[in-house]
Amino acid sequence: MVGHTLRLTLAYILKNRRLFIFGLVFGVFTALFVVNFGSKLLKSNNSKTIGLAGNFTVANLPLVIQEEISLGLTKILPDGSATDAAALSFTATNSGKTYLFNLKDNLFWQDGKRFTSSDVNYNLADVKITPLDDKNVRFDLAGSFSPMPAIVSQPLFRPGLIGLGAYKVKSLKSAGRFLHNISLIKNGETILYKFYPTEPALITAFKLGEVDSIITENLTGLNNYHKEEKINYNKQAIAFFNTKTGVTSEKNFRQGLLYGLSEFSGFGEPSFGPIAPTSWAYNQSLKKYKTKKSDATQSGELKLTTTLALRSVGEELKKMWEQLGLKINLETSDIIPENFEVYLTYVEIPADPDQYQLWHSTSLLNISQYKSPKSDKLLEEGRQNTDVKIRKQIYFDWQKAITEDAPAAFLFFPKIYTVSRN
């Protein structure tokens, strides 16, 4: 009986062998697919990979990543003002020489340790940090300094990148001196940030599928992908004039160059001064150098030096100024030449309107070597006064003064894109 049943079964299989072979192959393929790709498909709902260009270390992670891992005592609002974060409140006393921070209750580090005033570990020159008790900490400064609340928006960390934020560091990998990637996790959701040395390398990695999305200022070859655009008000393209020597030391010549400019709307949001239009201290009534070729006619040669990232902007500047009658010699350099005439570069703009380091005559970061007793006085008063209304008027006056003196051409705040697959 068993043998008869077996013969019938074998005969049925042979008769329908094509169907059985197809079913077997389909079953094996399905099993392999589930094993190899099923977990990835499930994971994709809870993970994403983002690419960024730049050479980063643990000490200089992009701020967007730092803020996901931890909190500062304060955080910066869109208008540049500081509000509470790890600190519940803060007050300035002693004419801005002393700051008191009251910490939030029940705030814990990611390893479970309670956050207390002794954990406030900012390394600030000429600032003494004293824990008064577990919840209160005092900052004693050598002099009045009103930007302090913005300075302490920098996220706090303990060794091992242990922070106070929503995301914990899951892993990180280095490639030589710099980070290759860092993985963050929150409630099962994972973000993997991958770093590439240049924008072209970043774009190539995205096209090859190494990352799900990228954050970039360069859209070359990315026309067929989904893009979200915004303006980066923390960064500004500025053409600095050498105000110490050469033809650019003459104010009338510098103003003539400004009159020869058109708006750089294709590269970002045109700017007319050193402070972002989103800032609480922005002066809307600044002098605008509208194109007046008859008043701006120049002659002679001018050397324009720019960075590789701004080469295309340098080409546009060259065209504009050559229409004035000048011969523009365009060069590329990632360092400031010793005897430059015009140097075009990107500058990080602080959240607080205080730009003492960029423009005060005594600052080593004053690229233009700009000297103005009026500007210096306003910059000094602006960082010494803690009254917001008074500070606002000071910076209104300072913006008018510096745009009139024209030590630089404030060109635009760049566009930044998040690019992903459709």
Side-chain angles (χ1 to χ4, degrees):
M1 181 69 180
V2 173
H4 178 70
T5 302
L6 182 60
R7 284 194 297 274
L8 287 174
T9 303
L10 289 173
Y12 179 79
I13 292 174
L14 289 172
K15 183 178 180 180
N16 300 278
R17 58 184 178 274
R18 290 183 179 178
L19 181 63
F20 275 90
I21 291 171
F22 175 79
L24 179 63
V25 172
F26 182 77
V28 171
F29 176 80
T30 302
L32 289 172
F33 181 84
V34 170
V35 169
N36 288 284
F37 300 103
S39 62
K40 293 182 180 179
L41 289 173
L42 289 172
K43 182 182 177 183
S44 67
N45 292 325
N46 296 308
S47 66
K48 55 185 174 182
T49 305
I50 302 173
L52 295 171
N55 293 317
F56 303 105
T57 66
V58 171
N60 76 332
L61 278 172
L63 186 59
V64 64
I65 299 178
Q66 291 187 45
E67 290 177 340
E68 287 175 335
I69 305 170
S70 195
L71 303 173
L73 288 179
T74 64
K75 65 180 178 182
I76 302 299
L77 295 175
D79 70 349
S81 58
T83 189
D84 61 284
L88 182 64
S89 62
F90 54 90
T91 55
T93 61
N94 191 21
S95 300
K97 296 179 182 178
T98 301
Y99 285 84
L100 300 173
F101 293 89
N102 176 240
L103 308 186
K104 286 183 176 178
D105 290 324
N106 301 319
L107 190 58
F108 293 87
W109 293 100
Q110 290 161 345
D111 61 359
K113 181 181 179 295
R114 185 166 172 263
F115 175 64
T116 66
S117 59
S118 60
D119 294 322
V120 178
N121 56 4
Y122 292 111
N123 184 18
L124 303 172
D126 299 322
V127 179
K128 181 182 178 183
I129 302 176
T130 306
L132 302 179
D133 54 41
D134 280 356
K135 284 187 57 183
N136 293 280
V137 59
R138 186 179 70 216
F139 285 50
D140 292 301
L141 287 63
S144 302
F145 189 63
S146 52
M148 180 54 69
I151 297 296
V152 295
S153 66
Q154 179 66 35
L156 290 158
F157 291 95
R158 290 179 56 213
L161 280 181
I162 297 171
L164 298 163
Y167 283 90
K168 299 171 71 171
V169 175
K170 182 180 179 182
S171 64
L172 55 84
K173 180 181 178 182
S174 296
R177 292 191 301 126
F178 302 109
L179 287 176
H180 179 269
N181 63 60
I182 183 169
S183 179
L184 311 181
I185 188 168
K186 178 187 75 170
N187 300 328
E189 177 189 354
T190 302
I191 303 178
L192 176 64
Y193 287 97
K194 287 188 174 182
F195 307 119
Y196 298 87
T198 63
E199 288 278 340
L202 174 68
I203 292 171
T204 299
F206 173 70
K207 290 181 176 180
L208 292 174
E210 293 181 15
V211 293
D212 302 320
S213 62
I214 58 175
I215 300 173
T216 179
E217 293 174 1
N218 183 3
L219 289 179
T220 303
L222 297 173
N223 293 334
N224 297 326
Y225 298 96
H226 175 72
K227 296 175 281 292
E228 295 179 11
E229 174 188 315
K230 67 177 183 179
I231 300 297
N232 183 3
Y233 290 110
N234 299 317
K235 189 175 181 179
Q236 189 176 25
I238 302 177
F240 292 92
F241 301 130
N242 185 337
T243 63
K244 188 175 182 180
T245 60
V247 292
T248 52
S249 64
E250 300 174 13
K251 177 179 172 179
N252 289 339
F253 183 85
R254 299 195 302 267
Q255 289 181 331
L257 292 177
L258 296 188
Y259 278 121
L261 295 180
S262 303
E263 292 186 358
F264 287 81
S265 55
F267 296 95
E269 182 175 318
S271 57
F272 305 99
I275 293 178
T278 52
S279 172
W280 58 267
Y282 178 67
N283 188 343
Q284 297 184 5
S285 60
L286 292 178
K287 178 176 182 178
K288 294 179 174 62
Y289 291 86
K290 296 183 180 179
T291 303
K292 291 172 24 179
K293 292 183 181 179
S294 59
D295 293 346
T297 301
Q298 308 285 349
S299 61
E301 294 187 16
L302 188 66
K303 183 168 68 175
L304 169 61
T305 309
T306 187
T307 62
L308 185 61
L310 282 169
R311 176 79 189 194
S312 59
V313 180
E315 296 284 359
E316 290 298 312
L317 268 179
K318 174 181 167 71
K319 292 177 186 176
M320 293 175 190
W321 285 340
E322 284 185 339
Q323 290 179 3
L324 303 178
L326 288 166
K327 180 182 178 182
I328 305 298
N329 300 312
L330 180 61
E331 300 176 352
T332 301
S333 174
D334 284 325
I335 61 171
I336 305 173
E338 192 169 325
N339 296 311
F340 76 94
E341 291 185 302
V342 184
Y343 184 65
L344 169 64
T345 188
Y346 276 130
V347 175
E348 296 295 326
I349 301 299
D352 189 272
D354 171 54
Q355 294 193 18
Y356 183 99
Q357 295 296 333
L358 287 172
W359 300 108
H360 196 276
S361 62
T362 62
S363 173
L364 297 177
L365 300 179
N366 182 352
I367 297 175
S368 289
Q369 301 182 68
Y370 172 54
K371 289 186 178 181
S372 163
K374 181 177 181 180
S375 173
D376 283 355
K377 184 173 184 295
L378 290 168
L379 286 170
E380 291 161 8
E381 292 175 349
R383 59 172 24 195
Q384 292 169 359
N385 203 302
T386 57
D387 187 300
V388 175
K389 290 183 178 179
I390 296 175
R391 288 194 80 204
K392 187 172 185 177
Q393 186 57 55
I394 289 171
Y395 286 114
F396 270 36
D397 294 341
W398 175 69
Q399 289 168 82
K400 285 183 179 179
I402 197 169
T403 52
E404 174 64 30
D405 287 343
F410 302 99
L411 302 181
F412 61 88
F413 298 97
K415 294 178 182 178
I416 189 167
Y417 304 90
T418 298
V419 184
S420 57
R421 288 172 181 79
N422 294 328

